[in-house]
Every structure is written in C-alpha cells, then in structure tokens.
C-alpha cells in the first residue's frame, strides 16, 4: 500500500493509504469465493482509481474493471487470466 503513488497528495497521506487499504480489502472480501488473491497490481489499479474519484466510487469501479473488463482469472493464484493475455500478446507480436 505504501508504495502506490507515495508522492501524490491523495495517496501519500495517511488517510489516503487507509482508504486504499479499505478498497483492496473490501474487494478481496467480495471476491473471496472466486479465488482472487492479493497482487500489487490490484493495489496499483485501485490507487489510480482513488486518485480520480471518491473511495466508494473507486471501489465500485475496481469491481467493474476486474470482474467485468479483465480476463477472468487475472488475479487468481495461478494468474490464468494473465497467462492468456500474455499468450495473445505474444501471438500478435509474432505476427
């Protein structure tokens, strides 16, 4: 949490870091059954959202981004979604 945008006014302060921690923890609780695990990039996405909007809006936007827009499995233990995205990128780069 402390490494996400520490030089920005919104996230560099104690209240900003607490808000970011609450967003990530709430997201992980919401997705407990779907095997979503913590990843630093999840916190980075939440941090960018929190810089642009209020805490509750940032939480719900994170929900939409991860649950609806990203490849399923992006943040599970095996990172299957990331593996799929990288395979597609590799194929496109090869072409």
């Amino acid at each position: 949490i402390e490494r996400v945008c520490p030089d920005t006014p919104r996230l560099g302060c104690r209240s900003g870091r607490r808000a970011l921690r609450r967003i990530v923890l709430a997201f992980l609780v919401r997705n407990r059954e779907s095997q979503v695990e913590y990843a630093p990039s999840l916190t980075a996405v939440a941090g960018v959202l929190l810089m642009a909007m209020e805490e509750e809006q940032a939480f719900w936007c994170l929900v939409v981004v991860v649950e609806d827009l990203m490849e399923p499995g992006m943040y599970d233990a095996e990172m299957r979604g990331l593996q799929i995205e990288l395979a597609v990128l590799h194929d496109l780069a090869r072409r």
Side-chain angles (χ1 to χ4, degrees):
I1 299 284
E2 286 75 21
R3 292 180 286 179
V4 176
C5 305
D7 298 330
T8 63
R10 178 91 170 165
L11 297 177
C13 64
R14 185 178 206 149
S15 63
R17 289 190 304 271
R18 283 192 305 240
L20 181 56
R21 185 179 311 276
R22 285 191 299 268
I23 291 170
V24 172
L25 289 175
F27 182 82
L28 293 173
V29 168
R30 174 184 168 84
N31 288 280
R32 189 177 334 168
E33 301 299 320
S34 65
Q35 299 178 338
V36 169
E37 294 190 7
Y38 171 77
S41 60
L42 180 68
T43 305
V45 171
V48 169
L49 296 171
L50 188 56
M51 285 192 292
M53 56 193 74
E54 296 301 316
E55 185 176 341
E56 185 174 354
Q57 291 173 311
F59 167 76
W60 288 112
C61 193
L62 181 66
V63 167
V64 169
V65 167
V66 175
E67 293 178 10
D68 297 338
L69 300 178
M70 286 187 171
E71 185 69 37
M74 189 66 77
Y75 288 109
D76 65 11
E78 291 82 30
M79 299 181 89
R80 290 171 290 189
L82 179 60
Q83 292 176 22
I84 292 168
E85 294 291 332
L86 289 174
V88 170
L89 178 62
H90 181 265
D91 185 55
L92 290 172
R94 188 179 56 210
R95 289 181 190 188

